[in-house]
Amino acid sequence: MGPLATTVTRLYGTRGWVTLGVCAFLLFVLVPLGNLAIPEGSIFHISTYWVTLIGKIMCYAIVALAMDLIWGYCGILSLGHGLFFALGGYAMGMYLMRQIGREGQYKMDMPDFMVFLDWKEFPWQWWNSDQFWWAMLLVVAVPALLAFVFGFFAFRSRIKGVYFSIITQALTYAAMLLFFRNETGFGGNNGFTDFKRILGFAITTAETRVALFAITGAALLGTLLLARYIVISKLGRILAAIRDAESRVMFCGYNTVNYKLFIWTLSAVICGIAGALYVPQVGIINPGEMSPANSIEIAIWVAVGGRGTLVGAIVGAGAVNGAKSFFTQAAPEYWLYVLGLLFIVVTLFMPRGIVGLYGQLREKWSRRAAA
Amino acid sequence: MRITSILLLLLFSVLARPAAAFDADAVRALVFGDGEQQVAAIAALVADGDARGAQVLEALAEGELKTSGKRILIVQGEKAIDAISGAVLSAPHADAEEIIANNRLRRELAGGIAALKLASADRATRLAAAKELSGGAAEAMLPLVRKALDREDDPGIKGMLEMIAAAMEIKSSDREVRIAAIRRLATSSNRDTKTLLLGVLERKDGAWVEADADLRAEAEKSLRVVEGQLAWGERAGLAFAGVSLGSILLLAALGLAITYGLMGVINMAHGELIMIGAYTTYVVQNLFKLHAPGAFDWYLPCAVPASFIMAAVIGMILERGVIRFLYGRPLETLLATWGISLVLIQAVRTLFGAQNVQVENPAWMSGGVEMLTNVVLPYSRIVIIAFVAVVLACMWLLLTRTRLGLFVRGVTQNRAMASCVGVPTGRVDTLAFGLGCGIAGLAGCALSQIGNVGPDLGQSYIVDSFMVVVLGGVGQLAGTVYAALGLGFANKLLESWSGAVLAKIVVLVFIIIFIQKRPQGLFALKGRSVEN
Amino acid sequence: MSASFKEFSGGAAGELAPARIAGEGLDATHGVVLYLDDISVSFDGFRALNKLSLAIDIGELRCVIGPNGAGKTTMMDVITGKTRPDSGTAFFGQTIDLAQLTEAEIAHAGIGRKFQKPTIFERHSVFENLELSMKTDKRVRKSLFAKLDGAQQDRIAEMLELIRLAGSASRQAGLLSHGQKQWLEIGMLLMQEPRLLLLDEPVAGMSDEETERTAELFLALAGKHSLVVVEHDMAFIGRIARKVSVLHEGSILAEGSLEQVQADQRVIEVYLGR
């Protein structure tokens, strides 16, 4: 019955593994060496600016993978993924704030914003926040819990499609308003910044940056492999089936709520981890990360790259954010035009994104040749 | 501009009365004396009620009073007047030093000037002065207020002055005067009255500050009356604020009720069409300012159709150019229209700058009806509520009584069938979408009268208006109305005890939970279940 | 042609033995597999089902006919848990109250449903369509680590033969012809090994030959499964019918053999109008 098994069962073929190997080499050997070992001024030197930028984009790529899992493979468009990203970031940020110690502007034990607000003791949210393991636990648990509870009720009530998207947008909007308040205890408008150390290492040194970069790279590769495992498993096929014909899946005897809840929560956790990696690299987290605009941008990364393909998500995150870095420096007033047009062009003309462009064009040509 | 005109009016009005002696010593004390002497000098000048004294006080408040050696000058631009002699000096006084008034002095000055203005012949000036004094006035002004009270014949101002006098008299040393004042305070619904009465009832270290028990009993009686009135005022104010916010939400959501509710097009650029409506109003306003300043008060009736047409045309272009290719793909529509919204925001930034622009109310819309002294209903809000009602009625008529409405309803119910019976579905789509966008433009026109107009205007309304439509039930005009008003009330009610931001969060969370219970919204029809 | 059915119903009998089909906990001791009693459903004043009562015996092949809007699809919605009845009871076997279960649980208990419009997973291959609908542990964790064993592969292969799609196993299901899609959906249903099959217009859009084969298949299935077939194609009904129920305005108007029903005066009125 061998030839009947038409489903993919291997993670990657030889070519795939080789490509991954090359990527790993670039991430873990070439960039660290290029930044640390090769002196500045040499054309092979990779500046810290680039290390941070690529590190940042890799965080976005992880988010894009999470978005692709839920949107590309399960058809659920979340407009609130920025919230999970920010929650992971805030969980990490709390720890980083505690690591500042007495080096803040007020030279006090408490973070500057608390001193400014004249708080005498830490609010309950900050319990145990000076422990790294606790921060790591929060990074995973907070997005997971929120996603699980929200998803449980939403999926159980059969909220789907645009409805779900709008509700997630409202969720992140509400959270943003909440975090803007000083009383919430997370620094209000300004959020957290001016970090000094992580695990005792000075956060701005090249070595720490490269280490964070490599960890982010490892997280990205790990997420990619995990996502790949999921999408080629039977579970992945069920998710895709839910996307295409949910009621048929239900009448096949699958409890689709559980499936959606699983992938939704997993996606949120991945976002949280990406946020936790993002904050020490860019050195700031504020409620702006929760704005609806940020969340919807994640969708466009995936759409640009090609949703429903994992490589597409990564490519899209890289392409859009690369363009963003370029434009915000070279011609900031044009960036919104570019981004806006990108939304329009991709949805109208490139339904399969950059990755699918080749196939799309080839089909067109062959059709033209046939005609 | 305004201040100088008031100043002039004041000058004329004071000059018109028999001149009292001008107290030059008081002016010197005001300028060269210490804090106490300065306060006394203000009281003296106010008590005199002399025009030149008033001028000096005004100058000090405006920062125009300067010293040059021993001379005291009122410097207004190039012109300088000797404050004592009144002589106009031509020589420039570059070395003149400004007299800095500290906060206490400023307060005294404001009270003093207001007291002087009570003598003005202009009703508006007197009203403004009375309002200023209601906030608290120095005891020294009492005789002046009394005098004004005798002269006053406007009932509104007279009432206010009586309260002001009572507030002063409550601190009097004469017991009878005090009790009379406390009784009179019971008729006031001014917020400050409550504080005043509470002051009489204050306790310090377990003992009454006020020793006289009768007086306290009177105060308590008055306080209860005042509190009752205040509570009513607050309730009325809350209700009005609720209706007002509800009407704004409704206006923002009405267009969406057509494009999303009826047509099923999820238009994330809806907020930006509101913004375009607001900017159109701004442009019309500027055109009037430039070409027809005399008719400026009537720019709004022109701006209303202009913003409707502008937003509708842009909406129809979007429908023809982008949205119609995405029918039946709601998530793609969502993303594409979001892109459109970004482009529109940036386009407005490029055209008008990133800063907020100034849209002025026409004169007939500024001010308000005073229901109770603590509740003022601004005309602008009242006009908007009426406007929303009119728009709603028009829309209802359009949808239920016209051929276009029939077509729209037909197409939304069964596109293929409508097409078969000869409805030009494409054109109907475009027109219906244009209508929805035009109403968004109207919303922008209305919003420009009560809020800031900037490129980000629409972003702040998009989540709210979608919530309204979703809560009301997609495709339900009546549901949209109820949801908007309900949300308006809920928001204001919560605001009154938890603050604006928390109220908004609570409302959003409530909607999120509510949608779980009734995914089809408040008023959705329970349709026959269709496959998939 | 019919050889393949024999092979299926005979050769693979071990796989489809009643004990396995019965599903866990289905108590059909009284010989009734589905029992609807006094079911009413209304949508905003419109009564889709009006005190409908219906009993399906084990192994029975029941045809349900009725004019448009008679409530046939709503009846299926109630049985499969998509619509909750306003009043009345629906029992699967003696003990399973369908009103308490979700769609997935009902499917798991042994009721399979074919939709009016073929609903298959268009972007999956034919093989995957069958794989996903196969009766297995359908919980999340199991699916994540699921591997097809030999017996399962065999079952899929047999089904592919039966529904004549063996040559298209790796084809994308969306590319199949309409009739093939209908067959694939029937195949998916059978992969679930249901006790009761609900088939909503199974031969719509099929060629005569395909219709004939479908009739043969249903006749072969009856006895081992219970079938409820809703159809407008009277020729097809005539080919397979044993007992026919006529649905009108949400309740059963007449029941009996096709000839009896067709002779019934009320039925003629309903169909031809007065």
Side-chain angles (χ1 to χ4, degrees):
Chain A
M1 282 297 148
L4 263 182
T6 57
T7 47
V8 190
T9 48
R10 285 191 307 165
L11 267 185
Y12 281 107
T14 325
R15 248 174 60 193
W17 283 115
V18 169
T19 317
L20 280 181
V22 172
C23 289
F25 176 75
L26 282 172
L27 290 176
F28 305 131
V29 182
L30 218 58
V31 173
L33 280 181
N35 179 243
L36 296 178
I38 296 172
E40 267 178 62
S42 159
I43 53 162
F44 295 108
H45 175 78
I46 297 168
S47 71
T48 306
Y49 168 79
W50 279 101
V51 172
T52 309
L53 180 65
I54 299 171
K56 199 170 97 175
I57 290 180
M58 285 198 298
C59 291
Y60 290 146
I62 298 174
V63 176
L65 279 175
M67 180 64 133
D68 199 19
L69 275 181
I70 188 81
W71 183 34
Y73 287 93
C74 198
I76 299 170
L77 175 57
S78 163
L79 297 183
H81 258 42
L83 172 59
F84 303 124
F85 181 78
L87 286 177
Y90 266 100
M92 186 62 146
M94 276 159 80
Y95 166 75
L96 294 175
M97 287 305 272
R98 297 295 297 269
Q99 281 267 302
I100 294 174
R102 284 176 165 264
E103 288 170 43
Q105 287 185 342
Y106 293 106
K107 312 288 175 217
M108 303 280 268
D109 282 329
M110 315 247 309
D112 281 348
F113 77 88
M114 291 193 192
V115 179
F116 183 74
L117 291 172
D118 200 25
W119 289 0
K120 298 293 172 229
E121 54 191 278
F122 285 101
W124 60 270
Q125 307 93 305
W126 287 74
W127 182 79
N128 220 3
S129 55
D130 54 340
Q131 299 294 318
F132 186 70
W133 65 269
W134 177 253
M136 292 301 98
L137 186 72
L138 286 186
V139 164
V140 174
V142 173
L145 196 68
L146 179 64
F148 184 84
V149 172
F150 178 80
F152 176 78
F153 288 109
F155 296 138
R156 204 188 52 166
S157 315
R158 310 243 161 120
I159 296 176
K160 43 187 137 181
V162 175
Y163 249 77
F164 186 85
S165 306
I166 294 177
I167 297 289
T168 51
Q169 187 176 45
L171 181 73
T172 190
Y173 184 62
M176 179 179 77
L177 293 178
L178 187 68
F179 274 65
F180 265 130
R181 286 161 48 90
N182 281 330
E183 292 80 5
T184 314
F186 298 107
N189 271 3
N190 303 317
F192 303 148
T193 188
D194 288 331
F195 308 128
K196 307 283 185 221
R197 276 181 304 271
I198 178 167
L199 285 170
F201 301 104
I203 208 160
T204 46
T205 60
E207 288 80 5
T208 315
R209 288 194 171 279
V210 165
L212 283 169
F213 174 87
I215 294 169
T216 309
L220 176 59
L221 291 182
T223 309
L224 177 65
L225 290 175
L226 175 71
R228 174 76 183 162
Y229 181 82
I230 289 172
V231 300
I232 64 166
S233 72
K234 187 180 171 198
L235 182 111
R237 292 194 286 282
I238 294 167
L239 291 177
I242 290 174
R243 174 191 66 196
D244 298 338
E246 181 168 355
S247 59
R248 172 43 80 202
V249 181
M250 279 194 298
F251 289 120
C252 278
Y254 294 98
N255 188 345
T256 53
V257 172
N258 289 351
Y259 281 83
K260 289 199 270 189
L261 202 50
F262 168 77
I263 199 70
W264 167 251
T265 309
L266 180 73
S267 178
V269 168
I270 294 174
C271 275
I273 293 171
L277 290 166
Y278 174 84
V279 169
Q281 295 190 66
V282 300
I284 184 168
I285 175 82
N286 59 36
E289 294 292 342
M290 297 180 186
S291 78
N294 267 21
S295 292
I296 204 165
E297 224 182 289
I298 300 171
I300 209 61
W301 304 341
V302 177
V304 165
R307 75 187 124 111
T309 61
L310 297 174
V311 181
I314 297 176
V315 169
V320 177
N321 286 298
K324 186 177 189 171
S325 307
F326 170 76
F327 271 102
T328 43
Q329 279 185 352
E333 63 273 24
Y334 289 111
W335 168 240
L336 271 191
Y337 287 127
V338 173
L339 186 64
L341 288 174
L342 212 53
F343 270 97
I344 300 167
V345 168
V346 166
T347 45
L348 281 185
F349 305 113
M350 287 168 55
R352 282 188 273 163
I354 296 175
V355 171
L357 199 59
Y358 172 69
Q360 203 184 326
L361 290 177
R362 205 174 51 180
E363 269 170 35
K364 204 165 190 176
W365 285 326
S366 63
R367 220 178 303 141
R368 198 167 292 171
Chain B
M1 274 272 280
R2 207 174 185 143
I3 292 169
T4 39
S5 64
I6 290 174
L7 187 80
L8 281 175
L9 264 171
L10 172 76
L11 269 176
F12 286 128
S13 61
V14 174
L15 281 173
R17 295 175 193 287
F22 176 54
D23 191 347
D25 289 337
V27 173
R28 285 196 194 92
L30 180 67
V31 175
F32 298 111
D34 63 13
E36 289 307 316
Q37 287 168 329
Q38 283 176 315
V39 171
I42 291 173
L45 285 172
V46 169
D48 281 351
D50 182 77
R52 266 163 62 200
Q55 197 186 7
V56 170
L57 291 178
E58 286 278 357
L60 181 56
E62 294 292 312
E64 291 169 350
L65 197 63
K66 303 192 177 181
T67 54
S68 173
K70 278 276 156 198
R71 294 182 85 163
I72 303 166
L73 306 173
I74 297 170
V75 183
Q76 286 166 329
E78 291 294 297
K79 206 175 77 175
I81 303 167
D82 188 310
I84 308 280
S85 66
V88 178
L89 306 171
S90 52
H93 286 267
D95 59 330
E97 275 179 55
E98 195 181 320
I99 298 161
I100 309 295
N102 65 13
N103 255 352
R104 173 164 180 235
L105 208 56
R106 281 190 179 283
R107 258 199 322 275
E108 296 288 342
L109 264 177
I113 292 169
L116 280 174
K117 283 182 189 165
L118 283 180
S120 162
D122 180 53
R123 184 185 167 274
T125 312
R126 292 203 309 275
L127 185 66
K131 272 190 183 151
E132 166 75 40
L133 285 173
S134 308
E139 221 181 322
M141 312 295 167
L142 184 56
L144 215 67
V145 173
R146 279 266 171 76
K147 221 191 294 172
L149 204 51
D150 289 340
R151 277 200 304 265
E152 189 58 64
D153 40 15
D154 184 289
I157 300 176
K158 203 173 173 100
M160 284 172 82
L161 287 178
E162 265 167 10
M163 290 327 297
I164 294 161
M168 290 171 180
E169 283 163 359
I170 207 170
K171 291 174 191 138
S172 158
S173 49
D174 186 343
R175 184 163 173 275
E176 288 310 310
V177 172
R178 295 184 69 188
I179 289 186
I182 287 173
R183 283 190 183 142
R184 229 173 318 137
L185 279 175
T187 57
S188 162
S189 55
N190 192 318
R191 225 173 277 272
D192 299 316
T193 329
K194 198 174 147 186
T195 353
L196 215 62
L197 288 169
L198 280 174
V200 180
L201 295 168
E202 203 181 354
R203 271 177 203 255
K204 218 170 234 169
D205 307 321
W208 296 101
V209 171
E210 177 59 60
D212 194 331
D214 289 348
L215 209 76
R216 290 203 309 263
E218 283 293 334
E220 205 136 357
K221 225 158 65 188
S222 290
L223 185 64
R224 268 198 298 277
V225 177
V226 169
E227 271 178 343
Q229 277 170 342
L230 277 177
W232 268 111
E234 256 155 41
R235 259 170 252 159
L238 204 65
F240 179 75
V243 174
S244 174
L245 179 65
S247 67
I248 288 159
L249 285 176
L250 180 58
L251 199 52
L254 261 185
L256 213 57
I258 294 183
T259 54
Y260 179 50
L262 284 180
M263 301 176 67
V265 173
I266 178 125
N267 181 15
M268 298 300 273
H270 186 78
E272 278 55 49
L273 290 159
I274 295 178
M275 184 253 305
I276 283 172
Y279 269 92
T280 310
T281 310
Y282 167 70
V283 170
V284 171
Q285 172 212 253
N286 283 0
L287 287 177
F288 266 77
K289 250 188 204 166
L290 219 63
H291 299 297
F296 182 75
D297 272 353
W298 300 105
Y299 85 85
L300 213 50
C302 289
V304 168
S307 45
F308 179 87
I309 291 167
M310 189 70 192
V313 165
I314 290 180
M316 287 197 275
I317 294 172
L318 293 181
E319 201 273 343
R320 282 286 90 182
V322 178
I323 291 164
R324 94 188 142 111
F325 301 108
L326 297 169
Y327 280 134
R329 288 156 68 198
L331 294 183
E332 275 85 350
T333 315
L334 190 155
L335 292 178
T337 49
W338 180 266
I340 292 170
S341 80
L342 295 183
V343 171
L344 289 178
I345 290 175
Q346 191 59 40
V348 166
R349 279 198 194 131
T350 311
L351 282 173
F352 297 96
Q355 302 303 316
N356 286 350
V357 295
Q358 209 62 45
V359 176
E360 282 170 39
N361 289 348
W364 50 271
M365 258 176 96
S366 47
V369 192
E370 201 168 310
M371 254 176 57
L372 297 161
T373 40
N374 62 335
V375 193
V376 180
L377 314 183
Y379 285 130
S380 54
R381 301 249 169 194
I382 296 173
V383 170
I384 287 177
I385 293 173
F387 181 66
V388 175
V390 171
V391 171
L392 188 65
C394 290
M395 208 172 112
W396 185 77
L397 285 177
L398 195 66
L399 284 179
T400 55
R401 294 277 186 274
T402 66
R403 215 169 160 70
L404 174 67
L406 185 69
F407 282 174
V408 170
R409 284 178 295 140
V411 169
T412 51
Q413 274 165 31
N414 192 334
R415 176 171 301 270
M417 199 55 183
S419 174
C420 281
V421 297
V423 175
T425 51
R427 271 233 317 275
V428 169
D429 283 335
T430 312
L431 284 177
F433 195 80
L435 175 65
C437 294
I439 290 171
L442 291 182
C445 180
L447 288 174
S448 70
Q449 297 302 310
I450 50 166
N452 295 330
V453 176
D456 298 330
L457 170 74
Q459 297 268 305
S460 43
Y461 283 98
I462 188 71
V463 172
D464 285 332
S465 29
F466 268 112
M467 285 300 119
V468 168
V469 176
V470 165
L471 186 65
V474 173
Q476 295 293 306
L477 208 54
T480 309
V481 177
Y482 292 127
L485 292 179
L487 279 186
F489 270 112
N491 230 325
K492 284 295 166 193
L493 211 65
L494 287 168
E495 234 172 64
S496 63
W497 60 264
S498 70
V501 179
L502 212 57
K504 196 148 191 175
I505 296 168
V506 170
V507 166
L508 280 177
V509 171
F510 163 75
I511 295 172
I512 293 172
I513 294 169
F514 177 84
I515 296 295
Q516 319 279 347
K517 280 278 139 214
R518 293 203 60 169
Q520 303 308 316
L522 273 176
F523 294 93
L525 293 167
K526 203 166 106 195
R528 272 184 74 190
S529 70
V530 197
E531 277 168 33
N532 276 323
Chain C
M1 197 187 292
S2 54
S4 64
F5 291 136
K6 283 206 188 89
E7 193 194 320
F8 173 69
S9 45
E15 303 288 316
L16 284 175
R20 236 193 107 181
I21 306 164
E24 296 75 26
L26 179 63
D27 172 16
T29 42
H30 290 73
V32 177
V33 70
L34 179 74
Y35 193 73
L36 302 181
D37 187 32
D38 219 16
I39 300 256
S40 292
V41 174
S42 58
F43 302 113
D44 288 316
F46 169 68
R47 284 216 135 170
L49 291 182
N50 189 11
K51 302 190 175 200
L52 171 79
S53 295
L54 185 75
I56 308 290
D57 293 337
I58 287 194
E60 185 185 350
L61 195 168
R62 173 75 62 94
C63 294
V64 177
I65 58 174
N68 281 328
K72 296 171 303 223
T73 303
T74 309
M75 181 188 79
M76 294 210 166
D77 285 344
V78 168
I79 298 170
T80 52
K82 195 165 180 177
T83 301
R84 298 285 170 209
D86 297 337
S87 64
T89 50
F91 271 87
F92 186 45
Q94 297 293 309
T95 49
I96 301 174
D97 183 358
L98 294 175
Q100 306 295 324
L101 303 181
T102 65
E103 287 102 318
E105 285 165 339
I106 290 171
H108 216 74
I111 297 181
R113 175 177 184 183
K114 196 200 123 359
F115 290 106
Q116 203 166 334
K117 189 172 133 240
T119 21
I120 51 172
F121 307 129
E122 306 244 338
R123 290 205 259 179
H124 289 64
S125 70
V126 171
F127 181 91
E128 285 169 337
N129 266 278
L130 295 176
E131 179 209 354
L132 292 185
S133 48
M134 183 161 49
K135 185 180 176 72
T136 52
D137 193 330
K138 289 180 171 168
R139 281 174 298 179
V140 175
R141 195 151 43 92
K142 295 286 175 209
S143 314
L144 186 56
F145 304 110
K147 289 271 177 290
L148 283 178
D149 60 27
Q152 290 172 325
Q153 299 240 359
D154 290 350
R155 270 191 50 65
I156 295 174
E158 279 166 24
M159 189 56 70
L160 283 168
E161 290 291 332
L162 179 75
I163 58 175
R164 301 185 122 197
L165 287 170
S168 315
S170 53
R171 248 181 117 192
Q172 205 179 322
L175 302 174
L176 298 176
S177 74
H178 190 78
Q180 283 176 314
K181 283 182 186 170
Q182 297 270 45
W183 273 74
L184 176 57
E185 195 178 10
I186 293 168
M188 289 165 71
L189 234 59
L190 292 173
M191 288 303 286
Q192 291 179 46
E193 299 170 23
R195 194 69 191 269
L196 171 68
L197 285 114
L198 306 175
L199 300 138
D200 203 346
E201 301 192 18
V203 296
M206 278 191 185
S207 67
D208 287 349
E209 192 226 338
E210 283 169 331
T211 307
E212 173 58 27
R213 275 182 48 77
T214 311
E216 275 178 43
L217 173 65
F218 286 2
L219 290 170
L221 290 173
K224 295 175 202 67
H225 305 262
S226 307
L227 287 88
V228 175
V229 180
V230 168
E231 203 26 274
H232 283 302
D233 184 339
M234 290 312 280
F236 179 74
I237 297 282
R239 175 81 173 78
I240 62 167
R242 294 167 188 179
K243 191 173 178 188
V244 176
S245 300
V246 183
L247 210 56
H248 176 59
E249 286 179 352
S251 47
I252 299 289
L253 186 68
E255 220 164 59
S257 74
L258 188 58
E259 291 75 30
Q260 283 173 342
V261 164
Q262 279 176 327
D264 191 307
Q265 200 53 45
R266 287 172 304 165
V267 175
I268 295 171
E269 264 177 33
V270 166
Y271 266 93
L272 301 178
R274 261 154 279 205

